[in-house]
Amino acid sequence: MHTSLPEPPTTGATGPIAEELELQKAAITRLGTELRALVEATVRTDATPDTLRRVADGVRHLTGELTGRRRARAEIPEVDEFPAGARMYSPVVGAGSPLAPPMVITSTGDGLLGHCTLGIAHEGPPGYGHGGMSAMLLDELMGRACANAGTPGLTVSLEVRYHRPVPLETPLRIHARVTGRDQRKSQVTGSITTESDPAVPLATGEALFVTPDPEQARVLFPGMREEK
């Protein structure tokens, strides 16, 4: 059983190729960390208009530094292990994403646990996370619970019940587990609590995932590498 899911060893890569991928992952993670700090500073700052314009010019210049071929819409990055492994640019777990918390996932005896802290960039009501962020956290972990159980699938339905506001800048604990299967269908439940008070649910969810058949999967994800 996996002990950590966000960045497992590169599947199928050995020698220099694996080393290059690890160096790429490290660089992506470093840039993602700095971008998240920039995003957080941007939504919290009380800087003057002159400062904001100067920073905007600097950001435009930095964007121009990211030259080279751009990834196509359906292309899976070489650093990713889709569908069950590392997703470096995921808005939920991606270490390279400026949008992600990012959530760190571990396996348990009855599913998966996610740990993250939402920042001001994820704010809905003042001081609390946007309800869509709660749904996204649950959806991500529920989907990974299916993959971890050997039945990766796509979300067909997701019902979220909001019990209490989810506080920002507070360590969160997300749990998801597969509760039932029927051929290609998986029923999954999930919950969000704080790390300090795991018995009090802030949001709970129930979802249905369906595993595409091989032909559907090839059509939906033409860039997916075949398992050996």
Side-chain angles (χ1 to χ4, degrees):
M1 180 175 289
H2 294 100
T3 56
S4 181
L5 297 178
E7 295 184 62
T10 305
T11 302
T14 59
I17 295 177
E19 292 177 6
E20 289 176 10
L21 287 176
E22 291 308 313
L23 287 173
Q24 185 75 1
K25 285 184 180 182
I28 290 169
T29 298
R30 182 178 179 185
L31 177 58
T33 299
E34 296 304 328
L35 288 174
R36 286 189 291 276
L38 175 62
V39 168
E40 192 71 7
T42 298
V43 299
R44 301 187 78 132
T45 188
D46 193 24
T48 65
D50 285 344
T51 297
L52 294 176
R53 284 191 289 268
R54 186 170 64 253
V55 171
D57 290 340
V59 171
R60 184 185 303 112
H61 173 75
L62 290 175
T63 300
E65 294 289 312
L66 297 176
T67 58
R69 188 181 72 84
R70 292 181 179 268
R71 177 163 58 96
R73 180 183 67 86
E75 183 179 351
I76 299 173
E78 285 294 321
V79 291
D80 276 9
E81 293 155 27
F82 180 80
R87 299 297 308 281
M88 294 299 294
Y89 300 108
S90 160
V92 182
V93 300
S97 170
L99 308 175
M103 181 164 60
V104 176
I105 302 171
T106 56
S107 290
T108 68
D110 68 339
L112 296 179
L113 273 180
H115 306 271
C116 70
T117 300
L118 299 180
I120 301 299
H122 304 119
E123 188 174 56
Y128 298 96
H130 193 287
M133 284 300 304
S134 296
M136 189 160 65
L137 293 176
L138 287 169
D139 184 52
E140 176 72 22
L141 198 61
M142 287 174 164
R144 285 179 170 263
C146 291
N148 193 54
T151 55
L154 301 175
T155 315
V156 172
S157 65
L158 171 61
E159 181 179 351
V160 179
R161 182 176 181 185
Y162 298 93
H163 302 271
R164 294 172 175 80
V166 176
L168 301 175
E169 300 183 326
T170 303
L172 301 176
R173 179 183 186 273
I174 304 95
H175 180 258
R177 67 186 183 96
V178 176
T179 58
R181 293 181 190 165
D182 180 10
Q183 297 181 346
R184 293 188 294 112
K185 297 179 181 179
S186 297
Q187 292 82 39
V188 194
T189 61
S191 64
I192 300 175
T193 69
T194 62
E195 290 277 15
S196 61
D197 201 355
V200 177
L202 305 176
T204 55
E206 296 183 355
L208 176 65
F209 286 78
V210 172
T211 302
D213 63 38
E215 183 176 348
Q216 288 177 313
R218 283 191 292 269
V219 171
L220 289 169
F221 312 111
M224 186 166 60
R225 293 177 283 275
E226 296 288 342
E227 293 186 2
K228 298 180 178 180

